Amino acid sequence: MKKLNRVFILTLMGLAWPVFGQGVSEYTVKAAYLYNFAQFVDWPKSAFAGDTSPLVIGVVGDDPFGDSLDDAVSGKTASGHPLSVKRFGAFDAAHAAALAHCQMLFIAYSEKDHLRDILQALDGAKTLTVSEIDRFPMKGGMIQFDQVGDKITLDVNPSAAKHAGLSMRAQLLQVSKIQGSEE
């Protein structure tokens, strides 16, 4: 647990810190980033059913996190909303509407061939999209995890977030590479 807390502190500070050699897995670090995104992105009140409704972090596709994501958000809140995790498995049209009920959605690399359909299903939703899919921000996504050596970096598309009614705080933007959508 001490290592996980250390990752939270470092990611909260916005550092792209090399942790893989420190015994912390890549997806433990990415889970900590997802938790911190909930602290550095503002959702409109209309994104929630009520004032204390959970902030749902969804995972669509092959879940790379294991227990790391659940551990990262267990007992935590963001702006008064308890954090919860929901997993969807591979994308299909049957649960496309359910994705829009997530305030944050991690789109696994396994869904790269369905990315357009997923983003289309989320059009108009107040959902922060996060992925590792190449050129994700240029394809209309909001935050892409990238890697330089053993450091995780972030590419963000604030315009896509704004289109969804979300606001990325300066602390997040300062540690990210700003990208735009391809037209």
Side-chain angles (χ1 to χ4, degrees):
M1 188 65 170
K2 282 184 179 180
K3 285 184 181 179
L4 192 55
N5 285 336
R6 191 164 131 196
V7 170
F8 285 150
I9 291 167
L10 292 169
T11 57
L12 184 64
M13 292 170 39
L15 300 175
W17 191 63
V19 294
F20 306 130
Q22 306 285 325
V24 178
S25 79
E26 171 185 355
Y27 286 98
T28 298
V29 174
K30 289 178 179 179
Y33 269 107
L34 290 176
Y35 164 72
N36 282 301
F37 295 158
Q39 309 302 317
F40 294 111
V41 172
D42 295 313
W43 283 262
K45 192 172 183 169
S46 63
F48 300 94
D51 290 342
T52 58
S53 298
L55 187 152
V56 178
I57 301 171
V59 178
V60 63
D62 296 339
D63 180 3
F65 295 101
D67 293 334
S68 295
L69 184 54
D70 300 280
D71 293 344
V73 303
S74 179
K76 305 275 190 316
T77 63
S79 300
H81 297 278
L83 300 177
S84 68
V85 177
K86 184 168 185 168
R87 291 171 173 84
F88 293 96
F91 175 77
D92 64 42
H95 58 50
L99 299 179
H101 294 287
C102 296
Q103 284 72 36
M104 187 183 313
L105 183 66
F106 179 83
I107 303 167
Y109 189 81
S110 62
E111 302 309 296
K112 67 184 181 314
D113 294 335
H114 302 287
L115 181 59
R116 178 178 285 187
D117 294 330
I118 293 168
L119 293 177
Q120 192 169 44
L122 294 172
D123 191 37
K126 310 293 187 219
T127 304
L128 180 74
T129 56
V130 183
S131 187
E132 304 168 309
I133 296 172
D134 296 329
R135 302 180 51 79
F136 184 65
M138 283 71 77
K139 295 175 182 178
M142 297 175 200
I143 300 176
Q144 178 187 342
F145 288 123
D146 205 354
Q147 195 168 329
V148 177
D150 60 354
K151 294 180 184 177
I152 294 172
T153 61
L154 304 174
D155 293 344
V156 300
N157 182 340
S159 296
K162 185 176 180 180
H163 176 75
L166 310 178
S167 176
M168 295 179 169
R169 294 189 191 166
Q171 298 95 320
L172 175 58
L173 297 174
Q174 288 171 349
V175 297
S176 303
K177 182 177 178 186
I178 308 298
Q179 303 284 343
S181 298
E182 296 172 341
E183 298 298 325

